[in-house]
Amino acid sequence: MTDEATPTADDGEIHALFAGAPQTTEFRKLRKRVVRQTREAIEHYGMVVPGATADQGGRGARWLVCLSGGKDSYTLLAALTELQWRGLLPVEILACNLDQGQPGFPATVLPEFLSARGVPHRIEYQDTYSVVTDKVPEGRTYCALCSRLRRGHLYRIAREEGCSAVVLGHHRDDILETFFMNLFHGGRLATMPPKLVNDEGDLLVLRPLAHVAEADCDRFARAMGYPIIPCDLCGSQDGLQRQQVKAILDQWEANSPGRRQVMFRALMNARPSHLLDPKLFDFAGLAAASEGAPAPADFGEIPALR
C-alpha cells in the first residue's frame, strides 16, 4: 500500500484529481452536479458514522473506495476526494484495485494514475479469473461468481486496512436496472440499497453515487481523460439480462426524456399500504368502523391541552 501526501491543484481551488479539467461552463456545472449529488446521497442515507472523523481515528473513519478503472469508479473517487478535500467528508479514503488476473488487464495503469496524483491506495492481485473459468460451465456468464469472489477479497482487505466501509461505484442507472431485473426475472421488488451491512455484520457497504446518472459519470470521466479500463476483458458480457433491461430503459428514456429520473424517484417514495405484501403492511388488521358507531374524531387541528 502507498500513502503519499495528497497534493492540491496548482490554482488551489480543486484537488489534483481535477487537475487539467476542461475550463468550460458546461464541465463546471457537470462537476458541481456530480459532487452535489454524491454529498446528497451520503447525507440522505447516513453514510458517515456520527462523531467519527479521520483525525480521531477509530471505526467509521476510513473507507475502502473500490476502483476498477471504469468510468464510474473514477467518478466516485474524484467526487469523494473533493468532498474530503473541502472538509465536507470527515473520513480517510483508501483507494483499492483488485487485479483478478483477467487476460489483458493493464496492471500498471491504476498504480501509476494513483501515485501520480498522490492518492493513498492498495493494489491487490488475486487470480479469481482462473477459478471462475474452471467452475462456470461453458456458455454461462462469469459475472455472478466473479462478483462474489471479488466481494470476499474486498471485505478481507477492508478488515486488514482498518476500514469500516467498502465503497462501491454503482450509480442511479445501476440501481434502476437492478430493480427491473428483480421485477422481471426475480419476482420481487428490490434493488441495490445505497447502504447496507454485510452478512458478518462488521462492515458497511456504501454506494455514494446512488443519485448520479450514468451519463454524467461517462461525461465526467471522459472529459477528465481518465485512463478507462474496459469491463469486458473476460469476454463474458454479451447477452446479459442487464443489457436487455438497459436497452428497455434506453428506449423509454428516448420516448419520454426524464423517465429514468421519475422512476428513480418512485424508489424513494414507496407506499407499503398500496402494494400487496402483508409482511410490510398489516392488511389483516384493517377494519372499517362498525355500523352505527361514531367515526373517530380528528383532533389534528386542535392544540394540545396544557
Side-chain angles (χ1 to χ4, degrees):
M1 186 195 79
T2 64
D3 194 21
E4 297 92 341
T6 303
T8 60
D10 293 339
D11 60 7
E13 296 180 357
I14 56 175
H15 185 271
L17 278 169
F18 292 92
Q23 299 300 306
T24 64
T25 300
E26 180 181 7
F27 180 78
R28 290 193 184 98
K29 289 181 178 179
L30 171 63
R31 178 177 64 85
K32 289 180 179 179
R33 181 167 64 250
V34 168
V35 173
R36 183 187 73 248
Q37 291 174 339
T38 302
R39 183 185 181 189
E40 178 184 87
I42 290 171
E43 294 179 350
H44 188 73
Y45 303 110
M47 296 185 184
V48 176
V49 177
T53 67
D55 290 338
Q56 294 169 343
R59 291 190 64 80
R62 200 176 206 208
W63 286 3
L64 188 77
V65 178
C66 302
L67 189 66
S68 66
K71 64 185 188 309
D72 308 328
S73 62
Y74 278 121
T75 302
L76 172 68
L77 178 63
L80 294 180
T81 302
E82 177 164 351
L83 287 172
Q84 180 204 50
W85 183 71
R86 294 187 182 278
L88 300 173
L89 182 63
V91 300
E92 181 183 347
I93 291 173
L94 177 66
C96 177
N97 171 251
L98 179 64
D99 180 350
Q100 297 180 260
Q102 295 174 332
F105 183 80
T108 62
V109 168
L110 289 173
E112 291 175 357
F113 173 86
L114 295 167
S115 296
R117 289 157 180 81
V119 177
H121 61 277
R122 172 169 169 173
I123 306 297
E124 177 93 0
Y125 177 81
Q126 293 289 336
D127 185 11
T128 63
Y129 176 77
S130 296
V131 176
V132 171
T133 54
D134 179 62
K135 299 295 184 183
V136 176
E138 185 176 354
R140 301 287 296 276
T141 60
Y142 301 153
C143 301
L145 179 57
C146 180
S147 177
R148 287 198 298 273
L149 293 174
R150 178 172 63 249
R151 190 70 60 87
H153 284 297
L154 292 174
Y155 288 168
R156 171 182 56 79
I157 294 168
R159 295 183 184 107
E160 291 174 356
E161 296 291 346
C163 297
S164 62
V166 173
V167 186
L168 307 175
H170 298 118
H171 45 65
R172 180 200 70 178
D173 298 70
D174 288 324
I175 292 172
L176 269 178
E177 290 160 14
T178 301
F179 172 79
F180 281 103
M181 287 175 65
N182 280 317
L183 178 67
F184 296 155
H185 303 289
R188 62 183 179 272
L189 298 181
T191 188
M192 297 173 174
K195 177 183 178 181
L196 62 87
V197 177
N198 68 334
D199 291 340
E200 293 78 8
D202 64 332
L203 292 170
L204 290 173
V205 178
L206 306 177
R207 297 182 171 95
L209 295 185
H211 292 182
V212 180
E214 180 179 19
D216 280 351
C217 293
D218 184 64
R219 283 192 289 265
F220 177 84
R222 295 189 185 281
M224 286 302 306
Y226 292 148
I228 305 297
I229 299 174
C231 64
D232 58 354
L233 295 175
C234 65
S236 181
Q237 298 295 314
D238 293 337
L240 292 180
Q241 293 175 346
R242 183 172 294 274
Q243 298 304 319
Q244 298 170 359
V245 169
K246 184 187 290 287
I248 292 172
L249 296 179
D250 286 343
Q251 187 61 54
W252 285 349
E253 184 71 20
N255 293 339
S256 301
R259 178 64 59 84
R260 268 193 171 94
Q261 187 59 24
V262 172
M263 291 187 292
F264 184 77
R265 287 204 305 269
L267 294 180
M268 303 172 67
N269 189 28
R271 298 187 179 183
S273 63
H274 287 59
L275 296 173
L276 304 176
D277 190 344
K279 296 188 296 296
L280 298 180
F281 186 80
D282 183 16
F283 293 100
L286 284 179
S290 300
E291 186 175 351
D298 181 6
F299 297 108
E301 300 298 321
I302 299 177
L305 296 176
R306 300 191 179 188

